[in-house]
Amino acid sequence: MKKLVRISLIAACAIAAPLSMAQTSAKLKVGLMLPYTGTYASLGNAIENGFRLYLAEKGGKLSGREIEFIKVDDESDPSKATDNVNKLIKRDNVDVLVGTVHSGVAMAMAKVAKDTGTILIVPNAGADVVTGAMCAPNIFRSSFTNWQPGYAMGEVVAKKGHKKVVTITWKYAAGDESVNGFKESFEKAGGKVVKELTLPFPNVEFQALLTEIAATKPDAVYTFFSGGGAVKFVKDYAAAGLKKSIPLYGPGFLTDGTLEAQGAAAEGLLTTLHYADSLGTARDNAFRLAYAKTYKLQPDVFAVQGYDAAQMLGIGLAAVKGDISKRAGFVSAIEKAKIDSPRGAFTLSKSHNPVQDIYLRQVVGNENRFVSVISKALADPARGCKM
Ligand code: BEZ
């Protein structure tokens, strides 16, 4: 009897060992769902560049596992998002999802990730709900919530003495939540948002709305746009003659990765963000140099977020020696980590969103130059998160 038990134990080990070895020596499949076309295409490319840079620094492997990318262009189109993410999970059997830029697409990704238990790392989209009411142990973000830079900017604009502000943005979660964050702190400090102007994403016909701003004569304008739309908005705002008379403020997405195209129209703009071009730390200098050498481009916040998404994946994998099926160890390692980001080290909140410094920056030439730390270790309120 004893002999029989021993034999079956040996047989079980013989079967189990190759299985777990196969699990940790096979390529790790990463589903990269990002916009590669449309107004956010440059953001998607920068995120992928950042992710690949970290991987290259680790010799192309994380915890001994090569990475196989399965890429999808999500076109920043929420109506295609559920199909896209289901294909990555069910057809391509990805181990991890990384994506995306657009909040509406990210919400669909988060829903599927939550339902299937697939690990999701969000390298940009700020949808508050992803680390709010939709929060889940398997969902992480390496970026921000839309609330964070908006809230920080409300305090800046109030301190400048502006009382009456008009907001203008695309009508979708990112624009709405950015404006809400701004409004929350600005009105708490005694200001008033007198008009909230919107247009559908990714429409860039700004003329009628600029005319309305001119007629309203606010003290200042707060805006959320990014990518190609931000280039056009900043240029149109200046061309309409508004820049001289009504100061323009926004979260740093307005001027990150866009300065060459915006030219003089962006000069002097003040924005708030968790990254700046001239932090001057050894960590950021090394990152910027490596990025510029590899891609012959200057990095922006999106590249940093992609780089940090790869770091977070690396931290989780290291804790489980590459075996991502060991879920509890993977999750708790990222939860406890201090992530050594080029933006400055950050930790994750209970809801898995970065707790991070928000910087005030000013456009000087082709740089979003650091002005000051405007909000130290700002945590999103994670409204509705039960985790
Ligand atoms: C968003 O949709 O959440 C987003 C897009 C571009 C820049 C920042 C946020």
Side-chain angles (χ1 to χ4, degrees):
M1 190 65 174
K2 266 189 187 165
K3 198 173 168 195
L4 194 62
V5 170
R6 218 178 314 129
I7 291 169
S8 31
L9 264 176
I10 292 166
C13 288
I15 296 164
L19 255 185
S20 95
M21 265 167 59
Q23 260 168 10
T24 52
S25 62
K27 286 186 181 174
L28 186 88
K29 286 189 175 184
V30 174
L32 211 50
M33 191 162 144
L34 291 167
Y36 293 105
T37 52
T39 200
Y40 287 161
S42 61
L43 288 63
N45 283 311
I47 289 168
E48 181 176 342
N49 286 348
F51 196 100
R52 285 185 185 274
L53 179 62
Y54 182 77
L55 194 55
E57 287 175 358
K58 297 289 153 197
K61 288 184 179 176
L62 296 178
S63 293
R65 296 190 71 171
E66 268 179 66
I67 306 294
E68 179 182 348
F69 290 104
I70 294 119
K71 287 173 53 169
V72 172
D73 176 6
D74 67 37
E75 303 167 56
S76 297
D77 185 345
S79 73
K80 297 180 182 164
T82 303
D83 275 356
N84 280 334
V85 74
N86 272 325
K87 274 185 206 150
L88 284 171
I89 293 172
K90 293 182 185 145
R91 184 192 65 191
D92 303 319
N93 291 314
V94 298
D95 297 296
V96 186
L97 285 166
V98 176
T100 185
V101 167
H102 183 287
S103 276
V105 178
M107 286 191 269
M109 291 183 82
K111 161 112 183 50
V112 178
K114 200 170 163 142
D115 291 349
T116 59
T118 313
I119 296 283
L120 167 64
I121 304 177
V122 180
N124 184 69
D128 293 347
V129 74
V130 166
T131 50
M134 293 180 85
C135 73
N138 57 311
I139 299 176
F140 297 91
R141 183 146 49 193
S142 66
S143 52
F144 59 92
T145 62
N146 293 317
W147 179 92
Q148 280 175 309
Y151 187 86
M153 188 47 105
E155 291 177 343
V156 173
V157 174
K159 276 198 194 116
K160 293 249 171 226
H162 301 307
K163 296 281 179 233
K164 232 174 68 172
V165 164
V166 170
T167 64
I168 175 165
T169 186
W170 281 313
K171 183 80 203 136
Y172 84 102
D176 291 345
E177 293 171 353
S178 180
V179 165
N180 287 344
F182 170 82
K183 201 170 159 182
E184 188 179 326
S185 59
F186 181 61
E187 295 199 336
K188 206 171 2 172
K192 182 88 196 128
V193 170
V194 293
K195 203 171 259 184
E196 297 182 30
L197 302 173
T198 60
L199 70 171
F201 175 88
N203 192 321
V204 289
E205 297 311 315
F206 300 121
Q207 220 45 56
L209 298 176
L210 293 174
T211 305
E212 198 170 339
I213 289 172
T216 309
K217 295 192 178 68
D219 300 333
V221 166
Y222 175 82
T223 188
F224 166 90
F225 290 108
S226 190
V231 171
K232 176 137 192 317
F233 181 76
V234 165
K235 288 175 113 175
D236 285 4
Y237 195 84
L242 294 175
K243 190 174 170 222
K244 284 180 268 141
S245 50
I246 308 172
L248 180 64
Y249 300 94
F253 314 113
L254 189 68
T255 55
D256 244 65
T258 54
L259 289 178
E260 249 173 64
Q262 286 165 335
E267 187 68 22
L269 290 183
L270 284 170
T271 60
T272 42
L273 203 63
H274 47 287
Y275 189 57
D277 290 329
S278 55
L279 292 176
T281 59
R283 181 69 178 102
D284 189 43
N285 290 346
F287 166 76
R288 295 185 73 86
L289 193 65
Y291 192 93
K293 259 192 183 166
T294 308
Y295 301 111
K296 315 286 175 257
L297 286 170
Q298 288 305 313
D300 54 24
V301 70
F302 309 107
V304 171
Q305 294 166 173
Y307 185 86
D308 291 340
Q311 287 209 69
M312 286 160 64
L313 177 60
I315 288 165
L317 285 172
V320 294
K321 299 193 169 51
D323 185 354
I324 200 164
S325 67
K326 293 189 173 142
R327 180 60 61 89
F330 178 91
V331 165
S332 103
I334 305 179
E335 285 176 338
K336 285 190 214 129
K338 187 162 187 182
I339 294 135
D340 186 19
S341 171
R343 77 188 80 170
F346 69 87
T347 54
L348 293 180
S349 65
K350 278 211 181 90
S351 66
H352 295 178
N353 189 66
V355 177
Q356 56 195 342
D357 293 350
I358 305 290
Y359 308 121
L360 179 65
R361 311 110 45 88
Q362 182 157 40
V363 176
V364 180
N366 273 348
E367 227 183 49
N368 283 292
R369 193 167 285 178
F370 171 84
V371 176
S372 62
V373 176
I374 207 72
S375 239
K376 189 88 196 132
L378 185 65
D380 179 85
R383 291 171 181 133
C385 173
K386 293 189 184 72
M387 197 163 60

